[in-house]
Amino acid sequence: MKRVLEIAERELVAYLREQEMREYKERMNELVDFFRTIMREGALEESSLTPHLAYATVLGSRLAMNNMPLEALLQVMKHMRLGMTRVLLGDPTLQGEAYAQRMLLITEGLTDLLNRLFLGFHEQQQEELVKMYEQQRNQVLDALPVSIVVYDIEERFLFANSRVYANNGLTPEQVIGRHRNELTDAYNRFPEPDDAWELALKGEWVKFRVESVTEDGLSLNDKELLPLRNKEGDVVAIVVMSHPEVSEKERLYNLQKQFSFVLNSMNSGLLVLNQDMVVTGYNKKAEQIFHIPAENVLGRDLHDLYVTHVDDKREQAEIPPRFMLSKPIRDKQRTLTVDERTITVRIDGNPIHDANGRTAGYVLIIDDLTELVAMREAMMRNEKFALIGQFAAGIAHEIRNPLTTVNGFLQLFAKGSTPQEKFLELTRTLLLAELGRANSILSDFLMISRPTAPKMTEVDTGQFFRDVVRLIESEAHLKGVELYVDVPDELPTLSLDVQQMKQVFLNLCKNGFDVMGPDGVLTLQVAVSEGEVVFEVIDRGPGIPAKELPRIFEPFFTTKSHGTGLGLPISHRIVEGHGGRLEVRSTEGAGTTFAVAIPVRA
């Protein structure tokens, strides 16, 4: 028990307070006792795991709040998995006949716990990110040299930036929820045109300027009414932007400052190019992503920079020609090496058009995906570890039975309990059969873990399916199952590995025979749909329970007392190897349909 705590403590002590560390140790003790109970009793109720799952989520959230790096979290998860497994494997009291099945339960439970730990960590990081975005948004709005007010469509005050409150000596409590007419009468010296609000409600972006002559000369006040829409396109709010009273020269200067500030406040890197592909704009985030200062980029041709820093030479000549054709770029993911750092970025871009519609330049938006890609890979590694555990436990469980039979037979023979004259008969009828069963299980396992590439040949689809029907007719007759076949006269040819695909249909039909029994009905039908030939195997059995349906393609999952749980996973891999899909539809009490869809090659 001490070992499993010490393995992760070295990583956690820097990120948990003393009280939190004590709670962690207590929880680990409870968790080991919980898993030991499973090993002895062989049962795992979801409700009994719930408190441990809840604590794992809380622990992940705490670690994220305390700024634990992702790499350190992954090390903790690895140590927790290895340490917990070693504690349980090293306890001699936990060995038993159902050892493999119980170890599989623990593997699944431990995987759920580690996933919850990772999920709590990730969700807290996302929450902190949302808070940061809201903070940055408010900072940007407060720093803008304009007054911004948001009204709902009922003209009730919702939001304003700090400039509005400062200019009018107000607080949010004094104005939020009040009607626009009350506020404009009291605080607005420059009234809007009569139809401005109605046009904005109809979805138009309304802009207008009010001019006034003061002692200092001509003064300008620009206002804009910008409609905000929901996902359905309906206007749900109106943003009123009011520029300060400035001279024309001062207004242009302020706009330039506003533009620079907004660009440098973005959470995405931004490059602005002119029509000659020379970089004319480069924000702070781009400097952070690429570790290249603006003075080394501005005024240089993009092609020079791109060839210098991109890692895929095949892409070096792709982007500039696409710019010249004025084509946008959408969601292009690239891995770049910059200053010996490898980063993954997403690139989006749009052309800039002048007043006459001609291309005047291009805007590139760069997002750093390095952290996100690392988190995705971590989740995939965690799932692979869980799958390895399931495979190992399943193989041990399935092979143990035939080996136990063989071992018992050999022990009896060694003790002289089996007469010499019966040895040959028992070997042929018992020993070889059990060894053959173990070999079959291993062969099926290898088919899943290292599938044989299909040897494709062009086949007459109708003739192929009729051959399949002939193979199963005799078994259907022996089982007392009625067989219905519906095959169109004309079907497109398919590229198939005939032997592999026959194995798929034999597996599916055998499952149908097993669940129905005598007097059952099995229907085989074929149809062509949207460039695919769809084969369906339909039984009128009891159906598959909804809670078991998502697991039927998992290796070693079976509801049959004599099944290995490898038939459907093998079929699934074979169909995928043909570029097709194996899908299932089932309703309890009404039967099950397996659909095999194979694409028709052009």
Side-chain angles (χ1 to χ4, degrees):
M1 183 61 235
K2 185 179 178 182
R3 180 179 177 83
V4 68
L5 293 174
E6 290 179 349
I7 289 174
E9 274 182 20
R10 292 191 299 272
E11 304 287 347
L12 294 175
V13 70
Y15 303 101
L16 293 177
R17 292 189 290 271
E18 185 177 347
Q19 174 62 31
E20 294 170 339
M21 201 66 198
R22 283 199 300 270
E23 183 183 4
Y24 166 77
K25 293 178 180 180
E26 292 172 3
R27 295 284 187 168
M28 287 298 102
N29 279 300
E30 294 172 2
L31 187 59
V32 170
D33 290 340
F34 172 71
F35 282 144
R36 280 179 171 155
T37 301
I38 294 173
M39 289 297 292
R40 294 190 180 98
E41 299 178 2
L44 174 59
E45 295 182 5
E46 291 186 11
S47 59
S48 60
L49 187 60
T50 300
H52 301 289
L53 294 175
Y55 174 71
T57 304
V58 170
L59 179 62
S61 178
R62 284 176 183 170
L63 296 174
M65 290 175 65
N66 294 334
N67 300 316
M68 183 181 216
L70 174 62
E71 294 79 7
L73 175 71
L74 297 178
Q75 281 295 106
V76 167
M77 292 170 65
K78 175 184 175 183
H79 292 157
M80 288 176 69
R81 179 184 291 278
L82 293 176
M84 192 71 69
T85 304
R86 286 170 182 168
V87 166
L88 296 170
L89 288 174
D91 189 340
T93 66
L94 302 181
Q95 305 299 323
E97 191 172 312
Y99 173 76
Q101 288 181 322
R102 296 178 184 184
M103 198 63 203
L104 179 57
L105 287 175
I106 288 177
T107 300
E108 292 176 348
L110 188 56
T111 297
D112 289 342
L113 284 164
L114 293 180
N115 282 340
R116 284 295 188 91
L117 174 65
F118 192 90
L119 184 63
F121 182 87
H122 177 65
E123 287 180 345
Q124 184 61 42
Q125 280 196 330
Q126 292 300 109
E127 187 176 323
E128 295 296 326
L129 198 60
V130 169
K131 290 179 182 177
M132 183 190 71
Y133 286 159
E134 289 180 353
Q135 231 175 11
Q136 289 179 340
R137 179 202 64 190
N138 291 338
Q139 287 175 351
V140 170
L141 293 177
D142 289 340
L144 293 177
V146 295
S147 298
I148 296 178
V149 179
V150 182
Y151 294 96
D152 64 19
I153 59 175
E154 302 296 332
E155 304 185 53
R156 299 290 177 183
F157 187 103
L158 297 178
F159 171 84
N161 65 352
S162 60
R163 183 175 294 270
V164 172
Y165 297 120
N167 289 346
N168 296 282
L170 297 170
T171 64
E173 292 75 17
Q174 292 175 296
V175 291
I176 289 178
R178 292 178 62 184
H179 196 275
R180 186 174 65 96
N181 290 339
E182 298 179 62
L183 300 175
T184 53
D185 291 344
Y187 304 105
N188 190 3
R189 293 196 305 114
F190 301 99
E192 303 156 2
D194 293 338
D195 61 346
W197 187 261
E198 286 73 19
L199 291 173
L201 288 176
K202 292 178 181 177
E204 294 188 29
W205 187 350
V206 181
K207 302 179 182 180
F208 57 93
R209 173 175 294 175
V210 179
E211 299 180 358
S212 62
V213 180
T214 65
E215 294 178 357
D216 298 324
L218 180 65
S219 178
L220 307 174
N221 178 249
D222 290 335
K223 295 188 75 171
E224 300 177 49
L225 274 65
L226 176 65
L228 295 181
R229 302 176 184 272
N230 59 19
K231 292 181 179 180
E232 289 72 33
D234 301 322
V235 176
V236 294
I238 303 294
V239 179
V240 179
M241 292 187 291
S242 180
H243 299 266
E245 299 175 56
V246 293
S247 67
E248 185 69 11
K249 181 178 180 180
E250 187 181 357
R251 186 178 73 85
L252 293 174
Y253 174 72
N254 285 338
L255 284 175
Q256 183 179 7
K257 285 174 58 179
Q258 170 188 342
F259 180 71
S260 298
F261 183 83
V262 170
L263 292 187
N264 288 320
S265 299
M266 292 176 61
N267 284 302
S268 299
L270 184 137
L271 281 77
V272 181
L273 313 170
N274 66 14
Q275 58 186 354
D276 297 321
M277 297 301 124
V278 172
V279 180
T280 59
Y282 186 77
N283 70 351
K284 294 290 185 184
K285 188 64 177 181
E287 288 186 341
Q288 295 171 13
I289 292 174
F290 296 114
H291 285 197
I292 308 173
E295 56 265 28
N296 293 346
V297 174
L298 294 175
R300 293 185 62 183
D301 188 281
L302 176 70
H303 187 267
D304 294 339
L305 294 169
Y306 191 65
V307 170
T308 301
H309 297 290
V310 75
D311 67 334
D312 189 346
K313 293 183 179 180
R314 293 172 300 176
E315 299 292 336
Q316 289 178 2
E318 178 187 341
I319 289 186
R322 293 189 66 181
F323 290 173
M324 299 306 292
L325 294 173
S326 302
K327 291 183 178 180
I329 294 176
R330 291 290 178 266
D331 201 23
K332 290 287 185 182
Q333 185 169 312
R334 294 286 182 267
T335 300
L336 311 178
T337 302
V338 182
D339 293 339
E340 299 183 353
R341 295 182 312 114
T342 299
I343 60 174
T344 302
V345 297
R346 180 177 60 231
I347 304 173
D348 291 274
N350 279 302
I352 303 171
H353 299 292
D354 61 19
N356 298 317
R358 293 189 294 265
T359 301
Y362 210 89
V363 174
L364 279 177
I365 298 174
I366 314 293
D367 290 301
D368 190 350
L369 304 181
T370 307
E371 183 82 3
L372 179 62
V373 170
M375 294 180 75
R376 286 176 180 167
E377 290 175 350
M379 286 292 286
M380 291 176 64
R381 284 195 296 270
N382 196 32
E383 290 176 0
K384 287 179 181 178
F385 282 132
L387 187 59
I388 289 171
Q390 291 178 352
F391 271 27
I395 284 288
H397 174 69
E398 292 297 335
I399 292 183
R400 177 174 291 166
N401 291 334
L403 290 183
T404 299
T405 301
V406 172
N407 183 55
F409 169 74
L410 292 176
Q411 286 182 356
L412 289 174
F413 180 74
K415 292 178 180 179
S417 300
T418 303
Q420 183 74 26
E421 60 273 9
K422 290 188 177 180
F423 178 73
L424 182 60
E425 179 184 354
L426 290 174
T427 299
R428 183 176 61 253
T429 59
L430 179 64
L431 184 60
L432 292 178
E434 291 299 312
L435 289 175
R437 181 183 171 197
N439 185 61
S440 175
I441 293 169
L442 288 174
S443 298
D444 288 345
F445 171 73
L446 290 175
M447 179 64 191
I448 295 175
S449 60
R450 191 173 56 199
T452 304
K455 299 176 182 178
M456 303 293 201
T457 56
E458 294 293 322
V459 301
D460 181 328
T461 305
Q463 185 59 47
F464 163 77
F465 202 63
R466 285 188 288 273
D467 291 343
V468 170
V469 172
R470 278 195 292 272
L471 287 174
I472 64 172
E473 279 179 333
S474 58
E475 187 169 358
H477 179 71
L478 290 173
K479 297 278 189 178
V481 173
E482 193 170 353
L483 197 63
Y484 284 109
V485 180
D486 182 11
V487 183
D489 293 333
E490 294 185 6
L491 287 170
T493 59
L494 292 177
S495 183
L496 303 175
D497 183 316
V498 174
Q499 296 305 317
Q500 285 191 5
M501 288 305 297
K502 282 183 178 179
Q503 182 182 355
V504 171
F505 288 110
L506 290 175
N507 285 342
L508 298 180
C509 292
K510 187 177 184 302
N511 284 345
F513 294 150
D514 290 343
V515 298
M516 286 189 298
D519 301 324
V521 177
L522 187 71
T523 302
L524 307 178
Q525 59 187 35
V526 189
V528 180
S529 174
E530 299 180 354
E532 295 178 323
V533 176
V534 181
F535 305 87
E536 290 190 335
V537 179
I538 307 167
D539 68 60
R540 295 185 186 174
I544 302 171
K547 66 179 181 180
E548 296 178 358
L549 201 57
R551 301 189 59 195
I552 63 171
F553 294 120
E554 292 181 11
F556 304 110
F557 176 78
T558 181
T559 57
K560 302 176 187 177
S561 59
H562 60 284
T564 63
L566 295 176
L568 286 178
I570 289 173
S571 300
H572 194 269
R573 291 299 294 266
I574 290 174
V575 174
E576 281 189 337
H578 283 70
R581 295 174 289 111
L582 174 55
E583 298 176 344
V584 60
R585 305 186 301 273
S586 187
T587 303
E588 288 189 65
T592 302
T593 298
F594 283 95
V596 178
I598 303 296
V600 178
R601 300 189 184 277

